[in-house]
């Protein structure tokens, strides 16, 4: 009886493309699975990229024939409805009830304009910190800080000294004229400090604490502005409170989702990549893998690389003086480690995505090289990246600039039908909030804490059991409305103040009277941006996404 049950279980795994052949018959797909489990428990001493290639080749060949039928846009996936129960009446490519929610970030009638509140001879400068998306949060908060201080904002200076060593200026990445003109009613912005008869004003440099409240700015920075007239805030990342009054939160949204638009060269190349993904299939999934050495080092996790990996990560970790030695196994149990590419692939297959789905991987230098991606490619042969979709000549203008390369991935991930964030970093948070604002597009966050024991015990369950448990644990992590309570997490990830609910009105047939996405923008015939707010201080409708 046990032998018969074992054979039936093997047959079910085989039908789902999760076996590889060996001299002993069919063995559950990874030798890879056991290897991943062993790495977690015993910290294998071999480098990940030295793992045997033969098993991976067999996986690629066999999955071609044994993978389950292709999953199309009509495939059904269990979801959490508003009551929290399981249901199976939605597509993989949409979120339930998303039609009842829309981004709304227009200023209220009581929100004073820049002309009414900006004080003369009061200038705020900021120096951002980190990579593209960390700097983006700093730029957004700088606009709000300038509004709080009744100051003129000088176009922010980007970070050139961090790990990425990117020498880009603000106007190399963002359309500076659009940025200034779109926000002209909110905050006065200039490109540089004015020069007077007695030479340029030299700003006073200082730093505010993390999560500084409006009162904190008024007490710490305003007196300096009144005496020095120009103040530069250094290392400006997450220097503004997460919780602000609604009008200030909506200003954050206007900056983040409308005023910050990428330059024409970045937009043009990003749209080329997007078009090339679209032409391959009607739908595609984008994965922010975030499996680069710096991310893994910062996470405090290890991935089976032994002493060589430990030494490599140790060098990188010296960048963070406050980063303490941690217990990698404990962090993994707590769900604080990025999933491996293989684990991401298994999660997606368990959720219902078939082997024919086209997958765009947004990533920099992957730890372990291309061999690390082989298990994922075995599960999803249609694997793409900005490198495979474009020529060297096309990418040449961007290759030396990490922020511009990240911007290309940002565009494709934002416009993907489904986005998977394999970490809780800045790009993942910004895109999660952005996708909520622009229609709650499916955004999958792996529930790593719950998924961890499933991967560890994978050999002790059937594929059906594994799939059901994955789907159950992912309830509330798929990007649908109301998955995250207002005020929970970073505002950039959960911009609740800028999400309007018209469900009751929709049910009554009253939605035609609602103004959807009430922040408009366009370009004039010269391609220059300008705001289309009306004289009443409100903004016009629009139905397009800005970068």
């Amino acid at each position: 009886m046990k032998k018969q049950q074992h054979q039936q279980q093997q047959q079910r795994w085989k039908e789902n493309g999760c076996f590889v052949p060996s001299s002993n018959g069919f063995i559950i797909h990874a030798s890879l699975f056991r290897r991943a489990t062993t790495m977690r428990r015993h910290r294998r001493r071999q480098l990940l990229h030295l793992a045997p290639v033969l098993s991976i080749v067999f996986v690629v060949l066999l999955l071609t024939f044994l993978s389950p039928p292709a999953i199309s846009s009509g495939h059904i996936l269990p979801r959490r409805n508003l009551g929290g129960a399981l249901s199976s009446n939605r597509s993989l490519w949409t979120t339930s009830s998303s039609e009842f929610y829309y981004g709304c970030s227009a200023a209220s009638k009581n929100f004073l304009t820049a002309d009414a509140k900006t004080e003369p001879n009061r200038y705020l400068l900021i120096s951002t910190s980190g990579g593209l998306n960390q700097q983006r949060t700093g730029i957004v908060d700088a606009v709000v800080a300038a509004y709080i201080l009744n100051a003129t904002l000088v176009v922010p200076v980007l970070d050139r000294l961090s790990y990425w060593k990117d020498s880009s200026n603000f106007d190399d990445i963002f359309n500076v004229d659009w940025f200034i003109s779109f926000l002209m009613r909110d905050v006065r912005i200039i490109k540089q400090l004015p020069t007077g008869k007695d030479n340029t004003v030299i700003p006073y440099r200082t730093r505010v604490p993390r999560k500084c409240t409006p009162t904190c700015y008024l007490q710490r920075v305003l007196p300096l502005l009144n005496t020095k007239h120009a103040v530069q805030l250094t290392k400006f990342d997450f220097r503004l409170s997460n919780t602000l009054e609604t009008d200030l939160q909506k200003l954050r949204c206007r900056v983040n989702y409308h005023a910050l638009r990428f330059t024409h060269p970045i937009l043009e190349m990003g749209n080329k990549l997007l078009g090339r993904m679209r032409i391959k299939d009607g739908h595609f999934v984008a994965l922010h893998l975030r499996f680069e050495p710096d991310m893994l080092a910062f996470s405090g996790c290890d991935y089976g690389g032994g002493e060589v990996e430990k030494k490599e990560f140790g060098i990188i970790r010296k960048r963070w003086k406050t980063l303490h030695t941690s217990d990698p196994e404990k962090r993994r149990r707590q769900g604080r480690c990025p999933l491996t590419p293989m684990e991401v692939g298994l999660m997606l297959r368990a959720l219902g995505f078939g082997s024919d789905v086209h997958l765009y991987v947004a990533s920099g230098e992957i730890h372990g090289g291309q061999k690390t991606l082989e298990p994922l490619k075995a599960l999803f042969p249609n694997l793409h990246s900005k490198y495979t979709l474009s020529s060297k000549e096309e990418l040449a203008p961007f290759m030396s600039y990490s922020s511009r390369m990240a911007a290309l991935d940002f565009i494709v991930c934002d416009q993907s039908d489904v986005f998977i964030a394999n970490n809780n970093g800045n790009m993942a948070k910004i895109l999660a909030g952005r996708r909520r604002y622009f229609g709650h597009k499916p955004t999958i966050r792996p529930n790593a804490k719950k998924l961890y024991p499933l991967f560890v015990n994978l050999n002790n369950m059937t594929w059906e059991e594994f799939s059901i448990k994955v789907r159950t644990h992912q309830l509330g992590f798929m990007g649908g409305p109301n998955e995250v309570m207002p005020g929970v997490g970073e505002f950039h990830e959960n911009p609740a103040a800028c999400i309007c609910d018209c469900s009751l009105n929709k049910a009554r047939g009253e939605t035609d009277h609602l103004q959807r996405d009430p922040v408009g923008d366009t370009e004039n015939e010269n391609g220059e941006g300008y705001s289309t707010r009306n004289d009443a201080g409100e903004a016009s409708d629009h139905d397009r996404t800005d970068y």
Side-chain angles (χ1 to χ4, degrees), residues 439-460:
H440 281 89
K441 292 180 286 186
T443 303
I444 300 173
R445 295 172 296 129
N447 187 355
K449 184 176 181 178
K450 294 289 187 179
L451 294 178
Y452 165 73
L454 298 186
F455 294 129
V456 170
N457 298 298
L458 192 54
N459 294 342
N460 301 321

Side-chain angles (χ1 to χ4, degrees), residues 36-323:
T37 306
T38 303
M39 283 195 301
R40 290 196 171 96
R41 292 175 176 171
H42 306 292
R43 301 184 185 180
R44 290 175 52 238
R45 295 179 179 274
Q46 299 178 359
L47 283 172
L48 189 62
H49 63 78
L50 295 179
V53 178
L54 186 59
S55 296
I56 295 173
V57 173
F58 278 132
V59 173
V60 174
L61 293 175
L62 196 67
L63 282 175
T64 303
F65 299 99
L66 298 183
S67 294
I71 304 299
S72 67
S73 61
H75 187 76
I76 302 302
L77 170 71
R79 66 162 176 89
R80 183 185 71 169
N81 59 22
L82 295 178
L86 282 173
S87 181
S88 58
N89 60 352
R90 82 162 175 86
S91 164
L92 284 170
W93 309 102
T94 60
T95 54
S96 175
S97 304
S98 60
E99 68 271 20
F100 297 128
Y101 299 86
Y102 60 97
C104 51
S105 55
S108 72
K109 295 179 179 179
N110 297 324
F111 193 71
L112 294 177
T113 64
D115 290 341
K117 73 190 302 290
T118 304
E119 294 289 339
N121 206 22
R122 188 183 288 182
Y123 301 97
L124 180 68
L125 301 86
I126 67 127
S127 298
T128 61
S129 177
L132 173 66
N133 293 286
Q134 185 172 333
Q135 293 185 91
R136 188 184 187 109
T137 63
I139 295 167
V140 171
D141 288 348
V143 173
V144 180
Y147 185 89
I148 292 169
L149 295 166
N150 297 341
T152 295
L153 177 68
V154 179
V155 169
V157 176
L158 301 189
D159 184 0
R160 297 184 175 189
L161 303 176
S162 64
Y163 174 81
W164 298 273
K165 299 293 188 295
D166 190 322
S167 61
S168 299
N169 294 317
F170 186 98
D171 56 4
D172 291 321
I173 298 175
F174 299 109
N175 185 329
V176 66
D177 292 323
W178 172 263
F179 178 71
I180 293 172
S181 62
F182 185 83
L183 294 170
M184 63 186 298
R185 288 181 63 86
D186 296 317
V187 173
R188 181 172 177 251
I189 305 174
I190 58 177
K191 294 182 180 180
Q192 59 186 17
L193 279 174
T195 57
K197 297 179 180 179
D198 299 324
N199 298 322
T200 304
V201 176
I202 299 176
Y204 180 85
R205 292 169 60 87
T206 187
R207 186 180 300 177
V208 294
R210 291 289 182 100
K211 308 298 182 183
C212 194
T213 64
T215 300
C216 167
Y217 275 92
L218 294 176
Q219 292 177 345
R220 289 174 174 264
V221 184
L222 185 58
L224 294 173
L225 280 172
N226 288 334
T227 57
K228 307 293 184 180
H229 304 298
V231 173
Q232 182 172 17
L233 302 179
T234 61
K235 201 172 175 55
F236 198 82
D237 57 343
F238 304 102
R239 303 287 166 176
L240 181 61
S241 174
N242 193 52
T243 304
L244 299 172
E245 63 178 77
T246 299
D247 260 328
L248 293 179
Q249 298 287 49
K250 286 181 178 289
L251 176 56
R252 267 177 163 162
C253 293
R254 291 198 293 280
V255 181
N256 199 0
Y257 306 134
H258 300 285
L260 283 175
R261 177 185 288 181
F262 292 128
T263 58
H264 177 73
I266 293 175
L267 282 176
E268 185 178 40
M269 189 64 221
N271 285 326
K272 281 183 181 179
L273 296 174
L274 183 60
R276 290 166 189 174
M277 283 301 298
R278 289 283 180 216
I279 203 170
K280 293 180 181 298
D281 194 19
H283 299 92
F284 76 92
V285 176
L287 164 64
H288 187 216
L289 187 59
R290 205 59 176 102
F291 212 69
E292 296 90 343
D294 68 296
M295 177 62 188
L296 302 185
F298 183 78
S299 71
C301 307
D302 66 45
Y303 288 86
E307 290 301 317
V308 176
E309 179 185 89
K310 185 177 181 180
K311 183 177 180 180
E312 178 189 3
F313 286 178
I315 294 172
I316 299 174
R317 283 171 180 153
K318 290 179 180 179
R319 292 168 44 203
W320 298 284
K321 296 179 181 179
T322 58
L323 193 63

Side-chain angles (χ1 to χ4, degrees), residues 97-98 100-106 246 249-250 253 257 432-440 480-482 484 486 491 493-502 517-518:
S97 304
S98 60
F100 297 128
Y101 299 86
Y102 60 97
C104 51
S105 55
T246 299
Q249 298 287 49
K250 286 181 178 289
C253 293
Y257 306 134
R434 185 179 179 87
R435 290 171 69 87
R436 285 189 174 100
Y437 183 85
F438 286 108
H440 281 89
N482 297 325
V484 184
F491 181 78
E493 181 181 13
N494 182 28
C498 303
I499 307 295
C500 290
D501 179 356
C502 63
D517 196 12

Side-chain angles (χ1 to χ4, degrees), residues 311-416:
K311 183 177 180 180
E312 178 189 3
F313 286 178
I315 294 172
I316 299 174
R317 283 171 180 153
K318 290 179 180 179
R319 292 168 44 203
W320 298 284
K321 296 179 181 179
T322 58
L323 193 63
H324 303 292
T325 303
S326 61
D327 181 347
E329 192 62 27
K330 181 179 180 181
R331 292 187 68 81
R332 188 166 278 107
R333 289 196 304 269
Q334 293 173 336
R336 297 183 179 182
C337 297
L339 303 187
T340 66
M342 183 187 71
E343 291 167 343
V344 172
L346 289 171
M347 177 193 71
L348 290 176
R349 292 296 292 272
L351 288 173
F353 292 94
S355 61
D356 68 327
V357 168
H358 286 261
L359 188 63
Y360 179 90
V361 178
S363 180
E365 175 193 359
I366 296 174
H367 176 60
Q370 287 300 308
K371 293 193 182 302
T372 305
L373 283 178
E374 288 298 332
L376 177 61
K377 194 168 185 178
L379 293 164
F380 292 94
N382 298 313
L383 203 64
H384 312 279
S385 71
K386 54 182 174 288
Y387 304 104
T388 64
L389 292 171
S390 55
S391 66
K392 291 182 179 180
E393 292 74 20
E394 287 178 311
L395 284 181
F398 310 95
M399 286 292 292
S400 299
Y401 306 95
S402 61
S403 291
R404 301 182 209 185
M405 292 289 277
L408 299 179
D409 281 337
F410 188 99
I411 292 172
V412 180
C413 289
D414 180 53
Q415 287 300 295
S416 64

